Amino acid sequence: MFLTALALTFLLFAIIAAFKMDSPLKGILFIITLAAVAGVLYLFILFPGYSGLAVSLILAAFIFRQNKR
């Protein structure tokens, strides 16, 4: 019950923060980013091996892309 209340409070604050962004597009991107982070955390809990591999591949792609510039 406590985790549910905590999650709903976090969602409420995230929605308030999204509405206070400079433009609606930034608010939508903020919510999408939060959903993606929550999805990755959920994958870590559900499939620890596969999600760790996926996150390491994503981080490696990000690092290598930064080095190309």
Side-chain angles (χ1 to χ4, degrees):
M1 183 66 188
F2 173 74
L3 288 178
T4 305
L6 188 66
L8 290 176
T9 305
F10 178 75
L11 180 64
L12 177 69
F13 285 147
I15 291 172
I16 290 171
F19 277 113
K20 290 189 175 273
M21 295 279 173
D22 292 336
S23 67
L25 180 63
K26 285 185 181 179
I28 291 170
L29 290 175
F30 177 70
I31 294 295
I32 290 172
T33 304
L34 285 179
V37 169
V40 169
L41 289 175
Y42 180 72
L43 282 178
F44 269 120
I45 293 169
L46 199 59
F47 305 110
Y50 297 126
S51 62
L53 179 64
V55 169
S56 65
L57 289 174
I58 290 170
L59 286 175
F62 177 74
I63 290 169
F64 287 132
R65 184 181 171 108
Q66 293 297 319
N67 288 337
K68 286 184 180 178
R69 291 182 182 178

